[in-house]
Amino acid sequence: MGNNLIAVDVGSGTQDILLYQSGVALENCPKFIVPSRTQVVAAQIRKASLNSSGIFLHGYMMGGGACTQALKEHLALGLKAYATPQAALTFNDNLEKVKSMGVELCLEAPNAAASIWMGDIDTIALEQAMGAFGLDYPQNWAVAVQDHGFSRTESNRTLRFQLWKDFVLQGGDLRTLVFREEIPEVFTRMRAVREILPGATITDTGTAALLGIMADPLVKPYLERGILAVNIGNSHTLAAAIRGDRVYGIFEHHTSMLTLETLAAFIRRFQAGELTNEEVFRHGGHGVAGHPDMKAGWEFVAVTGPKRSMAKSLNWYEAAPYGDMMLTGCFGLLAGQKVL
């Protein structure tokens, strides 16, 4: 694998970056916590909006969220938006729905439109950042992005949770979701990153977070007994019942739709094996899936994520592998490749 590896955990608010250098203590490896690409693209769209300029979006499919909201605001002002079909998939898997938003699909930039490159990983920016500190640009990459799966007709919440359910029932080994070679066709966002970075190891941010929690030295002794790993991210909250190397249950919701009370209630019912997919979906979340052998238990709860403070009063263990909570996903990427 060589001496250096760059691990990038792409979130909705930040992209968390670790330059792993073999032979160097993890605490001393270079780290960056910077705005995610969707935040950067959103700022570029809003700058064009302020200038009353049309925009041309090109490049690759990437994470939506902030950039989708900025695009809607741009169109609401009566300003033009053009996009290549590949970039347009950022906003919906059904391109007819993207066109119905007011986006015009084309392959080349119209005159006077501000050109905005899209993609989850900006290799030029990262190379410049590393060069500014005299760091060697790595040849090996591991990247995590949240990929709901591609469907022109099905709700992405429904599809994502069907994929999680299949995973739980088919063995629940998180390392099978760390793709070093072929990426399943359904994961179009991961495949877009692979186009930017041929040869990169790719996985989902949820997978990376769970593997990172499992890598925490204070969590490891509880794994054989069984733990509940919770990642409260800026956009999504994911919880998993894990024993040994196997996931027995998964729960996922939108962080913005949860309060301390609803989160605690969902987790209690999940621990008891009573939470149903229907009630989570009705509440606006993705769902819940459990293996028949999950049963009750999972008393030891480890929480991570940038919004973990909302659960402070629940007295869950705050996982911070190698002393850095924001790099939990990056450490999970390394653990997924058995570097850690």
Side-chain angles (χ1 to χ4, degrees):
M1 181 171 290
N3 292 328
N4 293 352
L5 167 71
I6 185 166
V8 185
D9 183 20
V10 179
S12 61
T14 65
Q15 51 183 318
D16 311 321
I17 302 166
L18 171 67
L19 179 58
Y20 172 76
Q21 300 168 323
S22 63
V24 176
L26 278 172
E27 290 80 359
N28 290 330
C29 288
K31 310 165 186 178
F32 304 85
I33 308 296
V34 295
S36 62
R37 284 285 303 148
T38 187
Q39 299 289 342
V40 172
V41 170
Q44 292 172 334
I45 293 173
R46 291 193 172 103
K47 181 178 179 181
S49 299
L50 286 173
N51 293 331
S52 299
S53 170
I55 56 174
F56 174 60
L57 306 172
H58 62 100
Y60 300 87
M61 175 190 184
M62 59 175 284
C67 66
T68 301
Q69 182 60 36
L71 173 64
K72 290 177 178 177
E73 293 167 1
H74 181 86
L75 292 166
L77 294 171
L79 298 171
K80 290 286 189 179
Y82 308 89
T84 63
Q86 189 175 14
L89 289 170
T90 298
F91 309 108
N92 199 291
D93 290 339
N94 187 334
L95 290 180
E96 290 303 315
K97 291 187 177 180
V98 179
K99 288 194 284 187
S100 72
M101 292 169 60
V103 178
E104 297 182 37
L105 302 185
C106 57
L107 296 178
E108 295 184 2
N111 291 335
S115 180
I116 298 175
W117 183 83
M118 300 186 70
D120 277 312
I121 300 293
D122 186 344
T123 57
I124 295 174
L126 290 173
E127 186 170 7
Q128 289 174 338
M130 291 180 198
F133 292 96
L135 300 170
D136 292 332
Y137 190 66
Q139 300 302 308
N140 302 302
W141 291 75
V143 180
V145 295
Q146 187 183 64
D147 196 326
H148 289 83
F150 178 86
S151 175
R152 287 188 177 89
T153 57
E154 194 173 19
S155 158
N156 60 16
R157 285 191 296 150
T158 302
L159 176 59
R160 179 170 171 83
F161 229 79
Q162 184 58 51
L163 294 168
W164 275 127
K165 183 177 180 181
D166 292 345
F167 161 72
V168 169
L169 294 178
Q170 293 168 10
D173 183 350
L174 288 165
R175 287 185 174 85
T176 65
L177 300 181
V178 179
F179 304 115
R180 302 185 69 171
E181 296 179 359
E182 188 64 26
I183 300 172
E185 289 188 10
V186 69
F187 295 125
T188 48
R189 187 177 174 191
M190 293 188 200
R191 291 168 73 92
V193 173
R194 179 66 67 74
E195 286 188 54
I196 298 171
L197 295 167
T201 295
I202 316 287
T203 193
D204 190 87
T205 50
T207 302
L210 296 177
L211 285 168
I213 291 172
M214 293 166 69
D216 186 306
L218 292 178
V219 172
K220 287 181 179 180
Y222 292 91
L223 281 172
E224 288 309 313
R225 189 185 318 168
I227 70 163
L228 201 69
V230 182
N231 178 49
I232 306 179
N234 286 311
S235 290
H236 292 84
T237 291
L238 177 72
I242 304 171
R243 182 178 296 119
D245 290 327
R246 181 171 182 174
V247 174
Y248 284 85
I250 288 275
F251 158 77
E252 190 168 40
H253 210 307
H254 296 100
T255 304
S256 63
M257 302 182 77
L258 293 171
T259 63
L260 170 63
E261 291 74 21
T262 56
L263 173 63
F266 277 134
I267 292 298
R268 277 196 301 270
R269 288 176 53 73
F270 182 51
Q271 286 172 303
E274 299 171 350
L275 189 62
T276 67
N277 188 69
E278 290 72 25
E279 64 182 291
V280 176
F281 195 82
R282 281 199 310 269
H283 193 264
H286 286 272
V288 65
H291 191 276
D293 294 337
M294 178 179 167
K295 301 183 171 43
W298 322 99
E299 286 81 9
F300 180 83
V301 183
V303 62
T304 191
K307 294 289 184 70
R308 71 198 184 287
S309 60
M310 73 178 288
K312 197 83 172 175
S313 63
L314 299 175
N315 296 317
W316 294 341
Y317 169 66
E318 294 188 13
Y322 302 95
D324 199 326
M325 183 283 303
M326 283 300 289
L327 292 183
T328 298
C330 293
F331 296 133
L333 283 164
L334 296 183
Q337 298 188 86
K338 299 184 178 179
V339 174
L340 293 183

